[in-house]
Amino acid sequence: MFGIDAIDLARMQFAFTVSFHIIFPAFSIGLASYLAVLEGLWLWKKEQKYIEVFNYWKTIFAVGFGMGVVSGIVMAYQFGTNWSVFSDKAGPVIGPLMGYEVLSAFFLEAGFLGVMLFGQKRVGPRLHFFATLMVAAGTLFSAFWILSVNSWMQTPTGHIINAAGQFVPDDWFNVIFNPSFPYRLVHMVLAAYLTTAFVVGAVGAFHLLKDKTNKNARLMFSMAMWMAAIVTPIQIVAGDQHGLNTLEHQPAKIAAIEGHYKNVKGAPLLLFGIPDNEQAKTLYTVEVPRLGSLILTHSWDGELQGLESFPREDWPNTFLIFWTFRIMVGMGMIMLFIGLWSLLRRYQGRLYEDRWLARAAVAAGPIGFIAVLCGWVTTEAGRQPWTVYGLLRTADSASPLNGTEVGSTLIAFILVYFVLFGTGVYYMLRLMAKSPVSVPETTTASLKRASGMTGAPSTFDHSQS
């Protein structure tokens, strides 16, 4: 279809749906933990602002969570429709792991989400706080299992191959805790927290620009800037460790990310350039001598393998992941700059008075999503041409479909997704645009009526605080 074969169309379809999906779990993971922190602080300090901000973000979380669930279901079906050979070969490993995600994470979230959203008048403050904690724990369990699946595809261990050519678990511990899993789990969870922090910070800054005395906007902005200042450096260290792990287990991916085609000692860090797999060289480079070796081997004279060390048919799309990695790193540097800027203004006692900092925070609202998307593109495109790294090629994993069948469903997905999720995102932005100064006691009443539920108002009796 349009000169594109069925496998590439299937990859494009999965890339499109996963790109829409991942932004919602990345936001939900961080926001669920933020809600738990807010409610815990309210119980501890008894200050009204914490529960008001909690109620402000609660409805936004519900909308984002719902869109994440819907988009995730679509992705799961694609394993069967477009990647049936992969499902048959890897199903004995990834099937149970994804089942564990449903049983442990999704049921936990679904079981307590209703209590968190609608039970504030019905179960008491401490039990309600427990429900919020369980929702937050559920999002983290979900990340645990899904990243275990994906990490096994990157660094497969703990399996044997049976007579039918299927990957069969031999040691579940090694399947789950495969070599890249701990690094990727930490890196992704921190990315989710930073993504949420910059959204919360952007909303707080937006309302501070309208009214710098808004106490709830101040709370949002202050907490978000603490996260930016503290977690961003931790994420940089986690990313470095993840990179060293990738160098050990997927050296071809690192060679492509760095844009190195030749083996070289004392390798430079290529800041910019245009990798060209046809010519097997990176053109028009801007580089820092020896810094590449220092970062990846922690030695000025360390040797880095270039793509020449690997069969050409095993090279990933170097141009793509070279640039997505640099965009991700660039977003991280912006986060670090804003975090340090906020520390300076906080020390000077001008955190809420610096309008340029507030404007920068508003502009930086989406950078977490950009970093997450670019990171996932780097990870997944860098694994190519394999679905299970080094063991099962993408070309051997697809269903026997023709290009027209896959292309037509891709077009349908594009149209439906932009309408459905575009509407959801627009609604979330409308909610964020409302001032957090006075949160009405019916913040979740509309959701309640829409679900057919009736009863008492759904917020705490503020007189008890």
Side-chain angles (χ1 to χ4, degrees), residues 9 44 56 110 137 191 212 249 252 265 275 311 314 320 338 361 383 403 450:
L9 285 169
W44 176 34
Y56 181 87
K212 68 180 180 180
H249 296 282
K265 290 185 177 180
D314 293 346
L320 175 63
I338 291 177
R383 189 188 63 230

Side-chain angles (χ1 to χ4, degrees), residues 221-245:
F221 188 63
S222 178
M223 294 179 74
M225 291 302 100
W226 275 124
M227 284 292 290
I230 295 171
V231 177
T232 304
I234 298 173
Q235 176 70 312
I236 292 171
V237 173
D240 175 67
Q241 294 302 306
H242 180 27
L244 296 178
N245 176 264

Side-chain angles (χ1 to χ4, degrees), residues 260-268 293 301-306 308:
H260 292 310
Y261 288 88
K262 304 292 184 182
N263 298 339
V264 57
K265 290 185 177 180
S293 286
D301 299 315
E303 183 174 5
L304 294 182
Q305 284 183 293
E308 68 176 7

Side-chain angles (χ1 to χ4, degrees), residues 10-84:
R11 288 182 62 200
M12 290 167 62
Q13 185 178 112
F14 198 83
F16 176 79
T17 53
V18 77
S19 296
F20 265 86
H21 172 67
I22 195 173
I23 62 176
F24 298 114
F27 185 50
S28 297
I29 291 168
L31 191 54
S33 294
Y34 180 56
L35 289 171
V37 170
L38 285 169
E39 191 167 7
L41 288 170
W42 178 74
L43 287 172
W44 176 34
K45 295 187 174 183
K46 305 299 181 184
E47 294 183 26
Q48 188 70 18
K49 61 183 180 180
Y50 293 111
I51 200 63
E52 287 182 350
V53 174
F54 173 91
N55 283 324
Y56 181 87
W57 286 102
K58 184 174 63 176
T59 306
I60 296 170
F61 171 82
V63 177
F65 180 85
M67 290 194 290
V69 170
V70 172
S71 58
I73 292 172
V74 172
M75 281 198 333
Y77 276 107
Q78 286 183 66
F79 284 122
T81 57
N82 293 353
W83 302 100
S84 59

Side-chain angles (χ1 to χ4, degrees), residues 237-287:
V237 173
D240 175 67
Q241 294 302 306
H242 180 27
L244 296 178
N245 176 264
T246 305
L247 177 64
E248 178 182 356
H249 296 282
Q250 296 176 300
K253 180 190 287 187
I254 290 296
I257 287 172
E258 297 299 317
H260 292 310
Y261 288 88
K262 304 292 184 182
N263 298 339
V264 57
K265 290 185 177 180
L269 175 65
L270 305 186
L271 300 177
F272 306 105
I274 303 178
D276 188 333
N277 278 3
E278 293 296 323
Q279 299 185 50
K281 65 185 298 187
T282 300
L283 309 173
Y284 313 114
T285 61
V286 177
E287 57 190 56

Side-chain angles (χ1 to χ4, degrees), residues 197-219:
F198 275 87
V199 172
V200 172
V203 174
F206 174 78
H207 292 292
L208 281 177
L209 287 171
K210 294 183 176 181
D211 177 11
K212 68 180 180 180
T213 66
N214 185 324
K215 69 180 191 314
N216 291 344
R218 283 177 169 236
L219 177 64

Side-chain angles (χ1 to χ4, degrees), residues 11 14-15 18-19 22 79 86 146-147 149-151 153-154 184 242 250 253 257 316-317 320-321 324 372-389 394:
R11 288 182 62 200
F14 198 83
V18 77
S19 296
I22 195 173
F79 284 122
F86 168 76
I146 295 303
L147 282 166
V149 170
N150 190 266
S151 297
M153 294 167 63
Q154 303 280 343
R184 300 180 75 245
H242 180 27
Q250 296 176 300
K253 180 190 287 187
I257 287 172
N317 186 331
L320 175 63
I321 66 176
T324 53
V372 167
L373 286 171
C374 286
W376 271 92
V377 170
T378 302
T379 295
E380 298 305 298
R383 189 188 63 230
Q384 298 300 320
W386 311 94
T387 46
V388 180
Y389 191 76
T394 304

